[in-house]
Amino acid sequence: KAGVTQTPRYLIKTRGQQVTLSCSPISGHRSVSWYQQTPGQGLQFLFEYFSETQRNKGNFPGRFSGRQFSNSRSEMNVSTLELGDSALYLCASSSKGATRETQYFGPGTRLLVL
Amino acid sequence: AQTVTQSQPEMSVQEAETVTLSCTYDTSESDYYLFWYKQPPSRQMILVIRQEAYKQQNATENRFSVNFQKAAKSFSLKISDSQLGDAAMYFCAYRSGSDTGRRALTFGSGTRLQVQP
């Protein structure tokens, strides 16, 4: 079974632009979570989607948004990029999103904001 | 709020030796899950081992085992017979067992493990 895939793997943007990242979960998984990883803040939870509905949200500004499609693929969008948004963005999937389930991570998208 | 603390930013071990990575956590919940994830230079997060809080028996996965001390809120990872491929960042993570509460993983700051040949 194929793992979690994320596209693109690398992105370079400039301040003020917006960006969209994509995540395809493991086949059959319906829950997708997004995390931001930076050297200063470590790994922080952004949001979780299940069956096209946002089920949980972390403490990030409204510039960070996401959505999930009927095939469980998820996208996250960051508008009006700031230098501090430079990070590795990881998505993770699980079958139903139940807390007893393990989350499986994708390879991440590395975003650099100049 | 739950917190996870990894007090060892870096550790080093000789190939074939044993190393233990420390993790402590703070929670008022009784039902939760603990994880160790490995992040090699490729940056892909790979699950190493998981532990259910309600299980007293320590989890093991081949050369990896944990020492779970629930009362002390301690969850250390032991790597036996260390191999060069074990070199990576290791993250300890906590997840609430409640499906109605905070569902996300809470990560520690990580421990960078170097394996010396």
Side-chain angles (χ1 to χ4, degrees), chain A residues 20-21 49 54 67 75 105 110 114:
Chain A
T20 299
L21 312 182
Y49 285 88
Q54 187 180 87
R67 60 178 175 167
E75 288 181 348
F105 284 82
R110 191 178 299 227
L114 301 175

Side-chain angles (χ1 to χ4, degrees), chain A residues 72-109:
Chain A
S72 295
R73 188 177 70 87
S74 177
E75 288 181 348
M76 67 162 280
N77 184 76
V78 188
S79 62
T80 319
L81 283 165
E82 300 177 359
L83 296 179
D85 297 333
S86 294
L88 179 69
Y89 290 89
L90 294 163
C91 92
S93 78
S94 64
S95 179
K96 299 180 182 66
T99 56
R100 65 181 178 276
E101 296 174 349
T102 295
Q103 293 188 331
Y104 296 93
F105 284 82
T109 293

Side-chain angles (χ1 to χ4, degrees), chain A residues 4 9 31 33 35 37 42-45 48 55-58 88 90 94 96-108 110, chain B residues 31 33 35 37 39 41-47 50 52 54 89 91 95-109:
Chain A
V4 179
R9 294 293 310 277
S31 170
S33 296
Y35 294 84
Q37 185 177 20
L43 283 145
Q44 294 185 289
F45 170 72
E48 179 203 1
R55 199 156 58 169
N56 254 240
K57 189 178 190 306
L88 179 69
L90 294 163
S94 64
K96 299 180 182 66
T99 56
R100 65 181 178 276
E101 296 174 349
T102 295
Q103 293 188 331
Y104 296 93
F105 284 82
R110 191 178 299 227
Chain B
D31 183 20
Y33 302 87
F35 306 84
Y37 281 92
Q39 189 177 44
S42 67
R43 309 306 296 274
Q44 172 110 39
M45 296 283 276
I46 301 164
L47 176 69
R50 62 174 271 163
E52 292 84 355
Y54 61 84
M89 280 289 285
F91 291 95
R95 193 177 195 192
S96 168
S98 168
D99 274 317
T100 58
R102 176 177 166 81
R103 306 166 51 81
L105 289 164
T106 300
F107 288 91
S109 55

